[in-house]
Amino acid sequence: MQEKIHKIMTFVGNMSIIIGVVAIVVGVAGGVLMIVGGGKLLNERKTLIF
């Protein structure tokens, strides 16, 4: 019984680490894309004529 619990705890621990790393990567990528997009918008603002 303790072997089964040990295997389950190992699996859950590994999955938690993997999900955490994926969340960090997605967050950083999203932040970079938002910064680049905002910079482009601010740059294009200069060319608008109303």
Side-chain angles (χ1 to χ4, degrees):
M1 183 67 180
Q2 288 184 358
E3 261 186 55
K4 186 176 181 181
I5 292 172
H6 185 269
K7 286 181 181 180
I8 291 172
M9 289 178 69
T10 302
F11 176 76
V12 170
N14 289 336
M15 291 308 295
S16 295
I17 292 171
I18 292 170
I19 290 172
V21 169
V22 169
I24 289 171
V25 169
V26 169
V28 169
V32 168
L33 288 174
M34 290 178 71
I35 290 170
V36 170
K40 285 183 179 180
L41 282 174
L42 288 175
N43 198 20
E44 292 295 320
R45 179 183 62 162
K46 298 174 186 174
T47 62
L48 290 177
I49 299 175
F50 288 102

